[in-house]
Amino acid sequence: MTQSELWSDQQIHYNDNLEKAEALSSAITKVSFEEHEWLQEKLSRAYNDVSFRKMFSFGDSTHFAIDLKALYEDLVIVSKNIHNQPLQQLTLPEVLESFRSITVVEGEAGSGKSALLRKIAILWASGCCPILSRFKFVFYLSLNSKGRDEKLVDVICDQLVGLEGSLTKDSLKNICQSLRNQVLFLVDDYDEMNTVPCEIEDLIQKNHLNKHCLVIAVRTNRTGSIRHYTNMILSIGEFPLPSTLYLLRKLFSHNIRLVEDFYIQMVQEETIQSLFKTPLFVVSLGAYWVQYPDSNMFTDMVILKAYLLYISLKYPQECERLKALVSSCGELALRGLYKSCFDFSEEDLSEVGVKGDDALRFGLLSKFTAQRLHPLYKFLHLSFQEFLAGLRMSELLASEVPENVEKGLWYLQQINTFVKISGRYKYILMYACSKPSDAVPKIISHLLNLINCEESFESRSENDVYLQQTPKLQLMQLQVLCITFRLLPELCHSQVTQIVLKLATELAYQSNMVPACAPMLLTFLSGKEFSIHQFGSKNGFISRFFLDYPESLFLPSRFVTSFTGKEEIVDLSLAESCYSKLGVPVVDKEYAPAFKLFSDVSKQVKEDADFNNSYRSLIPQHLPDSIIAPFVPMKGYKKIPHLKFDASYVKSLQVHDLQNLVILFSVFDCIELRLKNCQGLMESIQTAIEQNLGSFKVCSIHYGTLSVVEENLLLSMTSLESLGIKGLISTPETIFANLDKYTFLKELSMDLPDCQNIFDIIPEGFRQLHSMEKLLIYNVQFQNSSARLVEFMRNFKNLAVFHLKHSDFSEFGALMDAISTCKMLREIRLTGLSFGEKDLLSLAAALPNFTALKVLDLAGLNFTDEEACTALASALSCLVALEELVLPIGKGITHEAKVIVQQCFHIPNLQKLEFNQSLSDEGLLEIANVAVEGGFQKLEFLHLMANHNTTEPAWRTFFQTLSNMPKLHKVDFSRIFTHSIKCEAATVRSFVQCVSRLPSLKTISMIGWLFDADDLKMFDVMKEQHPQSKSLNLTWEWILPFSPIVQE
């Protein structure tokens, strides 16, 4: 064969082999394509299978599940840089487009990581997501309970229905090698175990060679372990409130009313809103609603109990382990809250026996490691921390181990103020009483006893970081409560009674421990004033208690119902005008903060009034059925002792309110009727009054006018024991002309600025009212009728209280003789009168007769005669029972100031001393000397206002000397801004040292004293060590209608 023929044969053979190779290659490609297509179909079926689509968040413990194919709500997903700083928020399409190499999706337990990965697989399987069409294969891998030796192919096949045996190690390897970045691995539960299968570790660590796409879901504490392999970190934020509502509407579309009611509750309760920071809490609530459809479904406690319940059901084989962990986490939570600590170290966990890995796995804690030298642990939510803390407190208090009970009582006793139980600490108590327990009576007993402890009224809250976590609206209410305690102490007991009773009854009922707690609650109610509007509170527990224990209706000293309509805006222009006449203060720059602008205050007053009026206009009824419900069963039976009906700015009542008022009046034996600016209201409620005329014992009418019908109604209340008329536009002469008809009258108060000669109208029979105990006369112009009052007074032998203020009364000598026969007098207030020197001598001569006198108020009486003032000073020593002394003014008083103060040695029960305008330097220093020598042991209030003749050196010596006043509660050393004192450093130092020596002092008013920043800093340093540090308050700013002239 020639060489040419040989080459030709080889060429033919080569061509035959090439054709066979091409045919083989084509066959292999076809087989591979068909296998890929078949596998893709298998995966699609698996991802569309109900076992994959439905998420059973709590394992097999509940049938409640979400079908991710039918229902999914977008999460808040934010991209982060390598320094863990947020970059931008991404939508789901943007998230899908961002998948390159390795992407980490981090989030807390229950934040929706698994749902997101499964949703991606479902979207790919649908074939309707163009963004995901670039991936030929999507493999979902759950690492839950996988070991180190688990094979990648087995991890995939074990989780997908119908895939067993369909995917081999070789075929998977072939797919990965040939398709590279067209393969997407969704790695879930990366942080469920400490061990990750070796093949998956290789998949992650060698991905820079393999070029696949991986999306790895991790909890926040595991991000650090794979951060250096990733090119993108996505963080899941808090679940949006609209998403919560969307899910619930879809899940409970058959019961939209339930979702709407829940939404209303959520809007009202900021705590509930903030609880739904992860979808898992939504799922917990949904599962609870399904399992317990008849329970109270709208409280934060339900949500938290549901979450803990289903966590325990998710791990049924580890109940005891979880129980022990909940207890130790509760100890951690309790310690943290009392220290305002919300972040915990591994050392903190170790101290209470918490194993961090277990707490993370069970979803009790979250762990944060990114950009930190040491890991940080947090509870899932502040409310969850409080919930576990409450459970722990309950466990301790109910323990049979004395040491545990003692520890629980220590924790309980730290919740020791009304501000605390009105703020965030309340939640600890509520969660501690979430179930029947011996702890509940101990907690309620503690609450009810707070009202007997003076320390309970401390109002400072700004230094308590935990307390400041209180929801915004509740925090505003808390601030109002603090202001009330400080400025209106007389309202404290009424306010705190409501707070304590509302909380105590709620705890008793929610824990089903009412029988054990009822005796304590009944004792607490005894002798207290009770607002019937508490029966209308939304939780309804107080009303329920009174219905369950009807004997409780007879325990309060009196019931009170208060109605307020649209208030008139207070006109502050007159006050502004008065200040303007005094001139504009000139101050150095450092003292400018001592002056605040009046217009700002005036504006705030108007805004507050507008807000209150707007709110009141939304109240549909003054007296709804819920408020009178506890009284209805009493109709026709034994009458309840006492009702106070108080109304302001109300002109009439609705028909239904009137019907309920008739019922309310009918069950009371004694009714107080107090009306302020309520023109026409008496006529509006005429039916209710006429049916119960004999029950009206007290009536007080302030401002407005009385119609003829109303005057006749008032005259028909012949059982009245107290009558008050104030500021009426026209004088009700018919009433005063028939005063003698009120044969049971014990108290009469009249404040009639525009009335002349009213005592000429009062009949002679008035003197026969021998039961008269209190006579208050304000702004009455007697002209020629002063003697008539004296005649009446001679017959009132039982008179205990007598006030005469701002009047032209002229028969003071005769009046003093008349009241000298009133041996039971306890209180005399003579203010704003034209007293002469002879009148003062008459008063001084009469004072020794009043050995039982407790209050002597001579404010505004002006005396210049030194002899008369000497007589007054001498007479004061006879008033050994005196508790309140308000001294007059004038040069004579200034001259005798030292002697007057010395008389206080003989008044051991003195609790309040007011020496304003006329105190001399000598008198000021004598106050300090008398105190040092033990003369003011019971003094609580010391008012030395507008004493402009006293000098700064005298005040400095006063501060240096003053001490030994154990009860002193409030001082007022204020001055008019035209006579301000620019304090020298030595004076400030003496003042601060003085305050440090007064252990009970809480309120200091020094308006008109100019303090700079260093002065105030010195005070604050002392305050931290003062026994009343939480309550001590210094007021020193003037509020003026103009700004001061500031000198540079």
Side-chain angles (χ1 to χ4, degrees), residues 542-797:
I542 296 178
S543 179
R544 186 174 167 185
F545 181 79
F546 275 80
L547 286 167
D548 289 344
Y549 296 87
E551 65 269 28
S552 58
L553 290 168
F554 297 88
L555 297 176
S557 60
R558 68 177 177 183
F559 287 89
V560 179
T561 176
S562 300
F563 304 157
T564 304
K566 185 177 180 179
E567 293 187 44
E568 298 174 1
I569 306 299
V570 178
D571 184 6
L572 299 176
S573 59
L574 180 60
E576 290 188 26
S577 174
C578 291
Y579 282 129
S580 299
K581 293 177 181 178
L582 295 174
V584 180
V586 179
V587 296
D588 296 335
K589 186 176 181 180
E590 62 265 34
Y591 300 116
F595 300 92
K596 290 184 177 180
L597 202 57
F598 195 97
S599 59
D600 294 340
V601 176
S602 179
K603 179 182 177 183
Q604 188 61 50
V605 168
K606 184 180 184 305
E607 289 177 356
D608 291 345
D610 288 341
F611 174 81
N612 290 334
N613 288 335
S614 176
Y615 173 76
R616 289 174 184 136
S617 68
L618 300 176
I619 300 175
Q621 284 185 272
H622 289 293
L623 205 60
D625 293 342
S626 59
I627 287 180
I628 69 157
F631 300 106
V632 173
M634 303 307 298
K635 191 174 182 182
Y637 291 90
K638 180 182 176 182
K639 289 201 172 188
I640 303 166
H642 201 146
L643 171 70
K644 177 184 175 184
F645 179 92
D646 197 334
S648 301
Y649 303 96
V650 178
K651 309 303 181 187
S652 63
L653 295 185
Q654 297 179 19
V655 173
H656 192 70
D657 283 338
L658 179 57
Q659 292 170 349
N660 284 338
L661 187 62
V662 171
I663 296 172
L664 187 65
F665 280 176
S666 70
V667 300
F668 281 94
D669 184 51
C670 171
I671 302 173
E672 288 185 48
L673 184 65
R674 297 187 180 276
L675 308 180
K676 177 183 177 182
N677 279 308
C678 292
Q679 186 172 342
L681 180 60
M682 280 185 68
E683 190 169 346
S684 170
I685 62 173
Q686 180 177 358
T687 304
I689 292 175
E690 288 179 336
Q691 291 183 26
N692 302 279
L693 282 172
S695 298
F696 287 92
K697 302 296 194 295
V698 178
C699 184
S700 175
I701 312 293
H702 287 192
Y703 308 114
T705 59
L706 288 176
S707 66
V708 174
V709 172
E710 290 173 324
E711 285 194 20
N712 289 331
L713 274 175
L714 195 54
L715 281 174
S716 60
M717 297 179 186
T718 54
S719 296
L720 280 182
E721 297 177 2
S722 175
L723 174 63
I725 307 287
K726 178 179 180 178
L728 297 187
I729 295 173
S730 58
T731 304
E733 295 187 1
T734 304
I735 301 297
F736 286 101
N738 290 276
L739 277 180
D740 56 336
K741 303 297 191 296
Y742 296 113
T743 55
F744 300 99
L745 201 65
K746 295 180 180 180
E747 300 178 3
L748 176 63
S749 172
M750 57 181 81
D751 187 345
L752 305 168
D754 297 319
C755 181
Q756 305 288 332
N757 295 318
I758 190 67
F759 276 86
D760 287 341
I761 300 173
I762 296 175
E764 286 292 326
F766 181 62
R767 71 176 66 206
Q768 301 304 318
L769 303 184
H770 300 299
S771 299
M772 187 67 67
E773 297 174 0
K774 180 186 284 189
L775 182 59
L776 314 180
I777 304 170
Y778 306 145
N779 297 301
V780 170
Q781 302 310 309
F782 285 84
Q783 294 185 350
N784 300 319
S785 59
S786 296
R788 195 163 175 77
L789 172 61
V790 174
E791 292 176 22
F792 292 143
M793 293 288 292
R794 297 186 189 280
N795 292 274
F796 298 153
K797 303 300 183 182

Side-chain angles (χ1 to χ4, degrees), residues 980-1028:
S980 296
I981 290 181
K982 186 192 301 185
C983 299
E984 294 182 5
T987 304
V988 176
R989 186 164 52 251
S990 299
F991 161 66
V992 170
Q993 292 171 347
C994 173
V995 174
S996 71
R997 297 191 298 269
L998 302 173
S1000 299
L1001 192 60
K1002 293 183 178 180
T1003 304
I1004 307 169
S1005 182
M1006 295 184 69
I1007 298 172
W1009 292 69
L1010 302 180
F1011 297 107
D1012 62 22
D1014 291 335
D1015 298 335
L1016 296 174
K1017 184 177 180 180
M1018 187 189 306
F1019 179 85
D1020 289 338
V1021 170
M1022 176 278 302
K1023 178 180 172 180
E1024 291 178 3
Q1025 306 300 320
H1026 195 275
Q1028 307 300 327

Side-chain angles (χ1 to χ4, degrees), residues 797-815:
K797 303 300 183 182
N798 294 316
L799 197 67
V801 178
F802 177 63
H803 295 184
L804 182 60
K805 297 185 177 183
H806 306 292
S807 168
D808 64 349
F809 187 84
S810 57
E811 300 286 341
F812 289 109
L815 180 64

